[in-house]
Amino acid sequence: AEQLQFERAAALRDRMRAVDRLGLSQLIISGALSDLDVIAFSVREARGCVVMLNYVGGNLLDKKKEFFDGVSENDASDVIEGFMKQYYGMTQRSPKIILISHPLEDEETLAQWLGSLRKSKVFLSVPQRGEKRKLLMLALENARQELEQLEKREQKTARSLELLAETLGLENPPRRIEAFDISHLAGSDAVAGMTVFQEGRPLRSAYRKFRMKEALAGDDYGSMQEALRRRLQRAADGDAGFLPLPDLFLIDGGAGQVSVVNRVLEEMRCAVPAYGMVKDD
């Protein structure tokens, strides 16, 4: 804070508080509560978060979280039950005790299924007092903090995209960005990599790689043109893996690379703007 790094200071403060709370929780886990999971659901506007704290041998071993859009407090039972079925179905294990923040509609059937995974009875409960209640409140606070942090990250990302649009003179912040880079081994085996960012976040399922078929070895300009042409042609052919077109192309390189890319964009009648990225002072 003394260095005016207020966002960094706030993030560190929140981490310190979380560590303090988790440290306190360690002191109250013992005996009958040494093998349990705590699952809590919290809502902030139309987004929910499930947090699961996993205790083994009295120690906090792991934390899981998952976000859900378009939900309300009324969806708590369905969201928690769906999370539990997915998680325990995947791990094929269950603790002896599971504390939950909301009652479930089909709690008995779910408990029987969990018991079949454990080969012994599993107890589900919504604690109202005592040590179990403290653990549940800790999980709820974790879920609330996760929602707050996600909202802060999204606000920061949205502002970054607004600044990018202002810098480049775009009418609107680019919701989808595709970036291209050419790499090769000693001037041969050229490959173009296409990375995609949706709402400012990496969309790895949309990443693509192009091995050069026509461009000559070491011809970065030709390789960039070929990669863009093939990418746009796949979209023109209706390939769902290359749709939709982005709001912005970012090219690794300066004016030369951008110039050859713009020729391809004109040739393919594509109005998506392209800008180069170079390392400088």
Side-chain angles (χ1 to χ4, degrees):
E2 291 175 355
Q3 298 172 6
L4 306 184
Q5 298 180 25
F6 299 116
E7 289 188 4
R8 176 67 173 159
L12 290 172
R13 177 203 62 202
D14 293 342
R15 287 187 185 182
M16 290 169 64
R17 290 178 178 175
V19 169
D20 287 341
R21 280 192 291 269
L22 291 175
L24 290 174
S25 71
Q26 297 283 57
L27 301 177
I28 61 177
I29 303 295
S30 62
L33 300 183
S34 62
D35 179 24
L36 82 160
D37 287 347
V38 187
I39 301 175
F41 174 73
S42 182
V43 174
R44 186 180 178 90
E45 295 182 354
R47 173 175 286 154
C49 178
V50 170
V51 161
M52 185 190 77
L53 302 181
N54 170 225
Y55 293 90
V56 175
N59 296 307
L60 179 60
L61 186 67
D62 197 10
K63 170 183 171 179
K64 302 290 184 184
K65 66 177 182 290
E66 187 170 346
F67 296 102
F68 301 85
D69 289 321
V71 296
S72 68
E73 193 71 26
N74 294 331
D75 299 309
S77 176
D78 290 338
V79 171
I80 293 175
E81 185 172 334
F83 174 86
M84 292 174 68
K85 288 179 178 178
Q86 181 180 21
Y87 175 77
Y88 293 117
M90 179 180 64
T91 61
Q92 289 294 296
R93 58 157 294 277
S94 172
K96 181 178 181 180
I97 301 172
I98 302 177
L99 308 181
I100 51 179
S101 59
H102 297 73
L104 306 180
E105 294 183 4
D106 199 10
E107 188 173 307
E108 183 177 348
T109 301
L110 185 59
Q112 290 176 353
W113 174 68
L114 292 168
S116 69
L117 298 178
R118 183 178 173 80
K119 309 302 181 186
S120 65
K121 189 172 179 61
V122 172
F123 299 90
L124 295 174
S125 69
V126 182
Q128 301 299 318
R129 62 182 65 86
E131 294 182 357
K132 293 181 179 179
R133 182 65 180 176
K134 292 178 182 178
L135 292 177
L136 181 58
M137 295 307 294
L138 175 66
L140 276 169
E141 179 61 22
N142 268 263
R144 294 190 190 103
Q145 285 193 7
E146 291 290 349
L147 288 169
E148 289 179 7
Q149 292 299 320
L150 178 61
E151 184 175 314
K152 289 178 182 177
R153 289 195 298 270
E154 290 182 341
Q155 290 175 349
K156 186 175 181 179
T157 298
R159 182 53 185 154
S160 296
L161 292 176
E162 290 173 2
L163 289 172
L164 179 60
E166 292 174 12
T167 301
L168 302 183
L170 305 179
E171 292 186 5
N172 300 298
R175 298 186 59 189
R176 184 183 177 100
I177 300 172
E178 292 183 8
F180 284 80
D181 186 17
I182 305 297
S183 61
H184 54 79
L185 182 63
S188 62
D189 299 321
V191 174
M194 181 183 99
T195 56
V196 182
F197 291 80
Q198 186 77 25
E199 305 293 353
R201 299 175 64 84
L203 185 62
R204 290 182 172 81
S205 62
Y207 285 15
R208 297 292 183 267
K209 182 169 63 176
F210 301 87
R211 295 191 181 279
M212 295 300 99
K213 299 178 179 179
E214 301 173 3
L216 298 176
D219 181 5
D220 284 356
Y221 286 5
S223 295
M224 191 66 76
Q225 282 187 312
E226 180 181 337
L228 262 292
R229 187 178 290 110
R230 286 166 58 184
R231 183 262 176 273
L232 293 173
Q233 188 60 55
R234 295 288 289 272
D237 293 339
D239 188 333
F242 289 85
L243 292 171
L245 290 176
D247 302 305
L248 173 67
F249 283 121
L250 292 180
I251 308 301
D252 179 42
Q257 280 86 349
V258 174
S259 176
V260 298
V261 163
N262 280 332
R263 291 179 208 161
V264 175
L265 295 175
E266 292 174 7
E267 170 192 323
M268 304 291 290
R269 297 185 179 181
C270 176
V272 177
Y275 285 82
M277 301 178 291
V278 294
K279 302 178 181 69
D280 55 24
D281 295 336

